[in-house]
Amino acid sequence: LQTRLQTRARHGLTTGLSYTWSKNMINTGENQGANSAQDARNLRVEWGNAAVNRRHMVVINHVYEVPFGHGRAFLSEGWLGHIVGNWNVSGVWGMMTGTWFTPRNPTEVSNAKDNCNGCPAERPNRIGNGNLPPDQRTIDRWFDASAFQVQPQYTFGNAGNNILEGPGYFNVDAGIHRNFSLSERWKATFRLEMFNAFNHANFNNPVSTINSATTGQISGTQPARSMQMALKLTF
């Protein structure tokens, strides 16, 4: 499901909003194909959420013409308008629910993958939900590790693929730019761009291997704020 709303320029502001609800289910790819399945003879048990799937995504974009300077509502004339005027502020706001990940055993149990290089660890038995309520999730305990246990020797676990939801995502990329008319021939454009402008911590998925001292803990984040400036001359 996708929907999009967009407003035309009003008082110098143009905005757009898009919302996506999705549910992507797979049993192949992303380490879920026949070559890396828990049981290559039963791909039905590989059916689950795609690791890249996010249930809800909201993206807001905007461009705002600051109302100062030549041709705008205020300070359209005079030296002050040349200094503070004709700036534009733009931004893209992204808000998304988390991606999905799979609980794993610390070692192979089924004995079905001898000499298999690169095969993912097997899945354990699931004896509870595993997903904690949102208000109980912390970076030290993102999911309930007690909901999983290693299955008996020479068997496969019953936990599905990508049944645990990871941390959500919030990001703002912002930009400030201005066009300068230096002469009839020479023009300049200045840009200041900020990625993750609020320096918001977007956490990676936690350790999903059970029976470990770090099970359920988050130890990494996605990139912090970065900034860049550019000046372009055209003639």
Side-chain angles (χ1 to χ4, degrees):
L1 172 66
Q2 293 180 318
T3 184
R4 177 176 174 82
L5 300 173
Q6 189 163 358
T7 64
R8 297 180 178 180
R10 181 178 176 84
H11 301 298
L13 178 64
T14 302
T15 60
L17 181 149
S18 62
Y19 168 74
T20 301
W21 177 87
S22 67
K23 186 173 183 179
N24 185 2
M25 307 286 288
I26 62 172
N27 67 350
T28 59
E30 297 181 326
N31 292 329
Q32 291 176 254
N35 293 331
S36 58
Q38 183 168 259
D39 181 359
R41 291 173 292 276
N42 185 10
L43 291 183
R44 289 179 299 175
V45 300
E46 303 301 310
W47 183 253
N49 294 303
V52 297
N53 181 52
R54 296 181 185 270
R55 286 285 188 266
H56 304 278
M57 294 186 291
V58 177
V59 178
I60 301 172
N61 63 81
H62 63 81
V63 177
Y64 179 59
E65 297 180 349
V66 178
F68 305 107
H70 179 71
R72 301 190 180 182
F74 306 104
L75 300 178
S76 61
E77 297 180 358
W79 63 269
L80 185 58
H82 286 288
I83 296 175
V84 302
N86 298 102
W87 291 92
N88 294 339
V89 179
S90 60
V92 179
W93 302 60
M95 293 153 281
M96 309 174 190
T97 53
T99 56
W100 299 82
F101 62 98
T102 304
R104 298 291 184 187
N105 284 333
T107 59
E108 302 296 336
V109 177
S110 70
N111 201 34
K113 293 181 178 178
D114 289 344
N115 300 318
C116 177
N117 294 322
C119 285
E122 294 173 348
R123 301 188 295 274
N125 276 338
R126 187 184 194 184
I127 58 176
N129 185 300
N131 286 292
L132 291 171
D135 60 348
Q136 296 181 22
R137 298 172 183 173
T138 68
I139 61 174
D140 293 320
R141 185 174 179 262
W142 189 261
F143 68 91
D144 181 11
S146 66
F148 304 96
Q149 64 181 17
V150 177
Q151 69 271 26
Q153 190 74 25
Y154 308 122
T155 64
F156 294 112
N158 64 14
N161 264 312
N162 297 321
I163 56 177
L164 298 173
E165 186 176 13
Y169 179 84
F170 173 80
N171 181 70
V172 178
D173 294 333
I176 302 172
H177 72 274
R178 179 182 174 181
N179 295 321
F180 297 87
S181 181
L182 305 178
S183 68
E184 184 176 347
R185 179 181 178 185
W186 289 82
K187 300 183 185 303
T189 301
F190 171 79
R191 300 185 66 90
L192 169 64
E193 297 172 328
M194 295 175 287
F195 304 96
N196 191 4
F198 295 153
N199 204 30
H200 178 78
N202 289 301
F203 294 104
N204 296 333
N205 286 341
V207 175
S208 61
T209 302
I210 66 171
N211 293 354
S212 166
T214 59
T215 300
Q217 295 182 11
I218 296 175
S219 60
T221 63
Q222 298 185 43
R225 177 174 53 217
S226 64
M227 304 172 64
Q228 66 182 23
M229 291 185 294
L231 180 63
K232 180 174 72 174
L233 295 174
T234 58
F235 56 91

